């Protein structure tokens, strides 16, 4: 055991280790690098003992820069408070760690200027690849970065950016939701979504909803956005007596939370007055009334697959751009049991 303080350890250099072990600086460099096999067992043991006694900690960033590799992966997210973003980020970080990489996360907070600054910051960190889950308003900067490094998109397409995309099979998820509601006897469905703001996954879900409604004569449907007078719009929907039992289809967890607040404000009897099904499966869903029926996204798999796509590109895969669409999983709870035929 040694009694070096943290401050003292930070000042110990590779040359100090070499002098303490009685070897060259090049031998120490080989020991802490990838060429340890070139050293004799005796020299390796002396270096190992010197490192332990001096409390030497190599500067991994400097070593990475010298070799042109930092083992850093960047991730740009639009809103780190979004439970979906957190869950996917955890999947990415776990996969990074398993392959010896570290993850640098930048939150744009849905702010275009923040996104621009973070892109410059990530470049300064010499990241090896980038995973993007943002609105993608800075397409030129993203395309420029993509010329320098591999890039993978999560959940959201970015116009004119030819990158691998990993996310949910949105059309299949919408079809699953409407099939479940129709089977349960609901006839009037209101989809609640966050404002589009150019987000491809939201646009795709609403487009799929409208197409599916048109193909299902037993159902009628409309779409409203969160924000503004959501409570008033839900009240109008509930007060309309036609065409039959009503349900809300919330396009993500944020929309589900906003809708639940509005329904409570309207003093609805959950879930007798209206059914509810929501994309995402958040921890609070089982706690509302008799539980909210969910379309769970495999967020851990989405995050891990995003990193694996990036890793393949880092290893030289220059094949065609690929899209990985994962299926949702239906979890039935009490929010869609109230209008059984």
């Amino acid at each position: 055991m040694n009694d070096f303080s943290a401050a003292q350890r930070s000042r110990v250099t590779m040359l100090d280790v070499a002098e303490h072990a009685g070897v060259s600086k090049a031998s120490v460099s080989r020991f802490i690098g990838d060429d340890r096999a070139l050293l004799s067992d005796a020299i390796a043991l002396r270096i190992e003992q010197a490192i332990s006694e001096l409390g030497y900690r190599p500067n991994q960033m400097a070593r990475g820069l010298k070799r042109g590799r930092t083992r850093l992966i960047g991730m740009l997210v639009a809103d780190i408070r979004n439970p979906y973003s957190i869950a996917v980020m955890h999947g990415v970080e776990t996969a990074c760690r398993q392959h010896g990489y570290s993850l640098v996360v930048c939150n744009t907070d849905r702010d275009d200027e923040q996104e621009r600054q973070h892109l410059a910051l990530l470049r300064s960190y010499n990241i090896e690849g980038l995973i993007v889950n943002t609105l993608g308003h800075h397409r030129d900067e993203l395309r420029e970065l993509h010329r320098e490094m591999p890039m993978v998109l999560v959940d959201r397409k970015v116009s004119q950016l030819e990158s691998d995309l990993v996310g949910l099979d949105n059309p299949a998820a919408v079809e699953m939701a409407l099939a479940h509601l129709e089977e349960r006897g609901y006839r009037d469905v209101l989809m609640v979504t966050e404002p589009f703001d150019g987000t491809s996954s939201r646009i795709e879900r609403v487009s799929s909803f409208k197409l599916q409604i048109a193909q299902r004569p037993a159902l009628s449907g409309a779409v409203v956005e969160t924000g503004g007078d959501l409570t008033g719009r839900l009240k109008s929907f509930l007060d309309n007596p036609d065409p039959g039992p009503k349900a809300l289809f919330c396009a993500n967890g944020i929309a589900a939370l906003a809708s639940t607040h509005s329904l409570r404000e309207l003093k609805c009897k959950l879930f007798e007055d209206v059914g509810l099904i929501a994309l995402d499966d958040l921890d609070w869903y089982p706690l509302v009334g008799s539980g909210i029926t969910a379309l769970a996204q495999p967020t851990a798999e989405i995050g891990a697959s995003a990193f694996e796509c990036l890793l393949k590109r880092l290893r030289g895969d220059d094949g065609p751009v690929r899209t990985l669409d994962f299926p949702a999983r239906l979890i039935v709870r009490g929010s869609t049991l109230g209008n059984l035929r």
Side-chain angles (χ1 to χ4, degrees), residues 81-321:
R81 296 167 298 180
N82 188 318
Y84 172 85
S85 298
I86 295 171
V88 171
M89 183 175 63
H90 183 263
V92 173
E93 194 278 329
T94 300
C96 281
R97 189 162 14 94
Q98 290 171 347
H99 288 86
Y101 286 82
S102 296
L103 186 66
V104 178
V105 179
C106 289
N107 171 41
T108 71
D109 212 20
R110 299 178 177 273
D111 181 88
D112 285 350
E113 184 54 32
Q114 283 272 45
E115 181 172 320
R116 186 190 303 278
Q117 292 176 9
H118 284 320
L119 286 171
L121 180 66
L122 287 168
R123 175 182 271 132
S124 74
Y125 284 165
N126 289 281
I127 58 172
E128 296 186 28
L130 181 62
I131 295 172
V132 179
N133 173 234
T134 72
L135 303 177
H137 289 168
H138 295 296
R139 291 190 293 271
D140 290 342
E141 287 89 340
L142 285 169
R143 283 199 298 270
E144 184 179 344
L145 261 181
H146 194 21
R147 286 192 287 268
E148 300 176 13
M149 67 185 68
M151 191 176 295
V152 174
L153 304 175
V154 172
D155 183 59
R156 301 167 174 183
K157 300 173 185 174
V158 176
S159 174
Q160 302 173 19
L161 186 64
E162 294 296 318
S163 292
D164 296 335
L165 173 67
V166 183
L168 185 71
D169 186 340
N170 289 303
V174 171
E175 182 177 11
M176 184 183 297
L178 291 179
H180 174 72
L181 291 175
E182 185 174 0
E183 178 189 6
R184 294 294 180 177
Y186 297 98
R187 292 296 175 259
D188 195 7
V189 183
L190 183 68
M191 186 177 201
V192 183
T193 178
E194 287 188 273
F196 291 159
D197 198 17
T199 304
S200 65
S201 54
R202 296 176 194 168
I203 295 170
E204 189 174 31
R205 288 169 193 175
V206 170
S207 297
S208 298
F209 175 81
K210 292 177 178 178
L211 181 62
Q212 283 286 319
I213 289 292
Q215 295 173 350
R216 294 176 179 273
L219 296 182
S220 66
V223 178
V224 299
E225 295 182 2
T226 58
D229 187 22
L230 177 62
T231 301
R233 293 195 293 273
L234 294 189
K235 185 176 187 305
S236 297
F237 171 69
L238 295 173
D239 287 346
N240 185 352
D242 295 323
K246 300 178 183 299
L248 302 182
F249 175 24
C250 297
N252 64 10
I254 304 297
L257 183 60
S259 298
T260 302
H261 276 302
S262 290
L263 292 175
R264 287 199 177 278
E265 188 176 335
L266 292 170
K267 302 189 185 307
C268 280
K269 292 177 287 187
L270 300 178
F271 292 99
E272 298 176 26
D273 296 338
V274 61
L276 194 154
I277 188 170
L279 253 166
D280 295 334
D281 185 32
L282 305 186
D283 290 342
W284 58 270
Y285 282 13
L287 307 178
V288 177
S290 50
I292 295 175
T293 294
L295 295 162
Q297 297 197 57
T299 48
E301 291 180 68
I302 289 172
S305 294
F307 174 76
E308 287 163 8
C309 283
L310 195 66
L311 187 61
K312 288 178 182 178
R313 299 301 186 185
L314 285 168
R315 290 174 173 173
D317 182 352
D318 59 356
V321 170

